[in-house]
């Protein structure tokens, strides 16, 4: 049987980049709470409680659609489920995002802006092609 690492195998005080599926119904421009938040909160809470620096990325809708919006409201809903602050930065992988990631202390959680606001996120490409994008190459380290 193949083995794989789990959260318990992470070195202490790791910086962890986690992709969540927080896509939510939008009413009057605001995301609505749904079961996705509670399901993801367990993992986020476990990572933060273990003292990791947790960086979250997610998407909401697609450009040009009614449900395409910032994730600022998602951070507030997720914080309620996690039971701790979830900081938000209105940047995906630029200087503002990288500075916010670097400033995280152990146990802190940060949600980056909607990944679909990044041009590298949108085209349908193979995982190998995606791995070579500036978006991935910037966030991976």
């Amino acid at each position: 049987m193949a083995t794989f690492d789990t959260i318990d195998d992470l070195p202490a005080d790791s910086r962890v980049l986690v992709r969540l599926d927080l896509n939510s119904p939008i009413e009057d421009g605001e995301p609505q709470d749904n079961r996705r938040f509670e399901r993801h909160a367990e993992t986020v809470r476990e990572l933060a409680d273990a003292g990791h620096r947790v960086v979250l990325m997610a998407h909401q809708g697609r450009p040009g659609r009614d449900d395409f919006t910032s994730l600022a409201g998602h951070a507030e809903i997720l914080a309620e489920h996690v039971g701790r602050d979830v900081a938000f930065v209105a940047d995906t992988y630029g200087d503002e995002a990288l500075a916010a990631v670097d400033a995280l202390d152990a146990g802190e959680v940060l949600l980056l802006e909607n990944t679909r606001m990044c041009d590298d996120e949108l085209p349908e490409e193979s995982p190998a092609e995606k791995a070579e994008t500036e978006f991935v190459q910037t966030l991976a380290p």
Side-chain angles (χ1 to χ4, degrees), residues 73-91:
H74 294 66
E76 294 174 14
I77 296 170
L78 187 58
E80 292 174 17
H81 288 279
V82 174
R84 68 175 63 218
D85 288 341
V86 174
F88 173 76
V89 62
D91 188 16

Side-chain angles (χ1 to χ4, degrees), residues 2-11 14 46-47:
T3 62
F4 55 91
D5 290 338
T6 68
I7 291 173
D8 297 330
D9 297 313
L10 289 170
S14 291
E46 185 175 341
L47 287 165

Side-chain angles (χ1 to χ4, degrees), residues 21-38 59-62 65-71 73-74 77 81:
D21 182 0
L22 296 178
N23 222 22
S24 304
I26 302 294
E27 292 180 16
D28 298 323
E30 296 296 323
Q32 302 303 299
D33 197 347
N34 64 54
R35 67 178 180 248
R36 291 179 183 197
F37 288 97
E38 183 55 41
H59 70 269
Q60 174 64 56
R62 289 189 175 274
R65 295 188 182 166
D66 290 343
D67 64 344
F68 183 63
T69 188
S70 171
L71 297 183
H74 294 66
I77 296 170
H81 288 279

